[in-house]
C-alpha cells in the first residue's frame, strides 16, 4: 500500500475499537492502541503506540540488528511477541476504506463515553457493521477506582520518583461485544440499518449501544513537572503481537522482576517495559506497558521499580 493508504491504516490501528474486528481474513484480531506524547514511532503520535494482537510501530532509521523478543506463560505458551512489520497481515482495500469512513463518523458524532453501531453504504459489499466508541477521561483517582471496582487491574497512587496521578483515558467494552449477537441477529440489524440509510439518502446509518463496565483499555498518565510516564493496560483473549517496522531504532532485552519476565526496550526519545498477566478465573490476559515519556530520563532500574508497583 502506498503512503496515503499507510497513513489511513495507521490511523485505524490506533483505535482500541478493533478488538473484535477482522483485519485480514480473521488473522489479526483484538487490536488496541494507546495515544502517546513524544514523536517517535507514528507520525501523529509521540511515544509507543500499542496495538494489541497487532502493534504497528514505524520510524525513520534503525539499528543494524533488531531483537525480536517474546514472552511465555508457565505452560510455555506465547503471550507476547515481536515480529517485523513485513509479515503483518494487511486488510483489503474495501475494508480499509469502510473502516476509515466509520472511524470518521464515530469521531464526529459520538460523545465521550458513548458507543454506536455504524452501517456504511460505500465499500461494503458484504454488508458489515462497525462498532465505534469513545473513552471516558478521569482526573479524580478515587472516581476512577470506584468505576473499576471489582476488576483485577492495578491502578497505582503514584509512581517512583514522585510522579503523581494526572489523568486516565478508559475504554469500556460495548455491550454488543460483551454479549455478541448471533449471525442471524447481526444480519438482521445490518439490513435494518442499510434500509434506514437508503430511506434517508445518507452514506450511513447508526444505532446507539450501551457501554458495559468491563475494562478494555486504560492509559494512565503520571506527571512530575513537565515529565510524564504513561501506564497502559489492555485486556485481550489472546496473545499480543507487536509488528515493528524494520527501520525503528530500538534495542530490547528480557528482565525478570519479582519472578515475572518482562521486555525492556530502549528507543530514540524514551524507553518502555512490557509484560503480560493472567486475568484471575479466565483465559484472558492483561498487557501492561510502562512508557517513559521524558526522553530516557528514567533508567532501567527506575523502570523496574515502577513495574514492581503493579505486581503487588
Amino acid at each position: 500500500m502506498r503512503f496515503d493508504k499507510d497513513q489511513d491504516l495507521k490511523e485505524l490501528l490506533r483505535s482500541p475499537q478493533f478488538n473484535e474486528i477482522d483485519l485480514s481474513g480473521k488473522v489479526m484480531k483484538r487490536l488496541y492502541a494507546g495515544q502517546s506524547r513524544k514523536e517517535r514511532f507514528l507520525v501523529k503520535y509521540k511515544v509507543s503506540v500499542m496495538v494489541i494482537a497487532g502493534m504497528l510501530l514505524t520510524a525513520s532509521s534503525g539499528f543494524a540488528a533488531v531483537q525480536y523478543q517474546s514472552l511465555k506463560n508457565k505452560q510455555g505458551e506465547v503471550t507476547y511477541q515481536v515480529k517485523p512489520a513485513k509479515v503483518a497481515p494487511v486488510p483489503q482495500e474495501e475494508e480499509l476504506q469502510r473502516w476509515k469512513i466509520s472511524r470518521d463518523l464515530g469521531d464526529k458524532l459520538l460523545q465521550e463515553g458513548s458507543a454506536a453501531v455504524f452501517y456504511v453504504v460505500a465499500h461494503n459489499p458484504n454488508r458489515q457493521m462497525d462498532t465505534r466508541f469513545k473513552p471516558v477521561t478521569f482526573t479524580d483517582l478515587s472516581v476512577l477506582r470506584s468505576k473499576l471496582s471489582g476488576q483485577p487491574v492495578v491502578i497505582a497512587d503514584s509512581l517512583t520518583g514522585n510522579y503523581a496521578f494526572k489523568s486516565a483515558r478508559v475504554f469500556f467494552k460495548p455491550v454488543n461485544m460483551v454479549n455478541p449477537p448471533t449471525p442471524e441477529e447481526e444480519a438482521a440489524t445490518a439490513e435494518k440499518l442499510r434500509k434506514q440509510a437508503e430511506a434517508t439518502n445518507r452514506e450511513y446509518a447508526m444505532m446507539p449501544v450501551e457501554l458495559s463496565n468491563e475494562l478494555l483499555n486504560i492509559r494512565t498518565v503520571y506527571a512530575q513537572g513537565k515529565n510524564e510516564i504513561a501506564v497502559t493496560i489492555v485486556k485481550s483473549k489472546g496473545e499480543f503481537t507487536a509488528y515493528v517496522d524494520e527501520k525503528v531504532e530500538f534495542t530490547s532485552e528480557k528482565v525478570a522482576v519479582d519472578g515475572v519476565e518482562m521486555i525492556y526496550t530502549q528507543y530514540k526519545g524514551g524507553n518502555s517495559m512490557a509484560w503480560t498477566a493472567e486475568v484471575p478465573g479466565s483465559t484472558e490476559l492483561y498487557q501492561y506497558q510502562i512508557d517513559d515519556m521524558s526522553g530516557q530520563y528514567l533508567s532501567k532500574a527506575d523502570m523496574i521499580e515502577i513495574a514492581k508497583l503493579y505486581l503487588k
Side-chain angles (χ1 to χ4, degrees):
M1 302 200 317
R2 307 311 304 167
F3 178 77
D4 56 339
K5 295 177 183 177
D6 286 341
Q7 290 303 105
D8 287 341
L9 178 58
K10 291 170 190 174
E11 290 289 342
L12 290 165
L13 292 181
R14 292 188 183 109
S15 173
Q17 301 175 37
F18 287 101
N19 62 309
E20 302 292 342
I21 296 177
D22 181 356
L23 283 192
S24 180
K26 296 186 178 180
V27 175
M28 189 187 295
K29 292 184 179 179
R30 292 177 297 279
L31 298 181
Y32 307 87
Q35 186 177 8
S36 45
R37 286 182 52 89
K38 274 198 180 286
E39 186 170 328
R40 272 203 301 274
F41 295 132
L42 292 178
V43 174
K44 293 184 180 179
Y45 274 61
K46 301 178 181 179
V47 169
S48 64
V49 174
M50 189 167 26
V51 181
I52 303 312
M55 175 165 61
L56 181 63
L57 308 178
T58 61
S60 57
S61 61
F63 296 153
V66 175
Q67 299 163 294
Y68 297 108
Q69 305 281 8
S70 65
L71 299 174
K72 296 181 179 180
N73 58 20
K74 295 178 181 179
Q75 292 72 43
E77 301 166 330
V78 174
T79 58
Y80 177 90
Q81 60 184 330
V82 180
K83 292 184 177 182
K86 63 184 178 182
V87 304
V90 178
Q92 297 296 316
E93 180 63 18
E94 286 286 88
E95 291 179 295
L96 180 61
Q97 292 302 321
R98 189 191 83 241
W99 292 339
K100 182 177 184 298
I101 293 171
S102 65
R103 177 205 63 192
D104 292 344
L105 288 169
D107 288 344
K108 178 182 178 180
L109 300 175
L110 295 179
Q111 301 296 315
E112 177 177 296
S114 67
V117 172
F118 287 88
Y119 181 92
V120 174
V121 176
H123 308 288
N124 197 1
N126 297 321
R127 298 185 177 181
Q128 296 177 298
M129 298 180 295
D130 299 315
T131 300
R132 296 296 181 187
F133 48 105
K134 284 190 174 179
V136 180
T137 300
F138 295 86
T139 56
D140 187 316
L141 187 56
S142 62
V143 174
L144 172 62
R145 284 210 172 106
S146 177
K147 185 66 175 179
L148 297 178
S149 177
Q151 302 193 53
V153 61
V154 177
I155 306 295
D157 292 316
S158 59
L159 302 184
T160 304
N162 296 318
Y163 280 80
F165 173 82
K166 180 180 179 181
S167 64
R169 180 169 169 265
V170 185
F171 284 88
F172 293 100
K173 205 168 187 179
V175 293
N176 63 318
M177 291 183 176
V178 176
N179 298 301
T182 65
E184 294 76 17
E185 291 171 335
E186 188 166 4
T189 301
E191 180 62 13
K192 177 182 177 181
L193 293 179
R194 186 192 69 79
K195 289 180 178 179
Q196 285 182 10
E198 184 180 70
T200 56
N201 196 31
R202 293 192 299 182
E203 66 171 0
Y204 73 95
M206 62 180 287
M207 180 182 72
V209 295
E210 294 183 2
L211 289 177
S212 71
N213 290 324
E214 184 177 332
L215 174 67
L216 187 63
N217 176 312
I218 177 171
R219 180 176 179 275
T220 308
V221 175
Y222 296 83
Q224 180 201 63
K226 295 183 178 180
N227 293 329
E228 294 184 345
I229 299 171
V231 181
T232 305
I233 307 170
V234 182
K235 190 176 183 181
S236 174
K237 293 181 180 178
E239 69 184 43
F240 302 95
T241 300
Y243 293 101
V244 183
D245 191 294
E246 290 82 351
K247 295 180 181 180
V248 168
E249 296 183 14
F250 80 96
T251 59
S252 64
E253 63 177 297
K254 291 184 182 180
V255 297
V257 180
D258 291 348
V260 177
E261 194 173 59
M262 303 183 182
I263 296 177
Y264 172 67
T265 304
Q266 290 182 289
Y267 41 80
K268 222 173 188 180
N271 51 23
S272 69
M273 188 79 78
W275 72 96
T276 59
E278 295 181 355
V279 178
S282 77
T283 58
E284 295 180 308
L285 297 170
Y286 282 132
Q287 188 213 15
Y288 285 80
Q289 180 162 313
I290 303 168
D291 284 297
D292 168 16
M293 300 163 62
S294 55
Q296 293 188 345
Y297 175 77
L298 299 178
S299 67
K300 178 169 69 174
D302 292 329
M303 297 290 280
I304 289 174
E305 288 305 308
I306 293 172
K308 287 180 178 180
L309 298 174
Y310 293 87
L311 301 180
K312 296 180 179 178

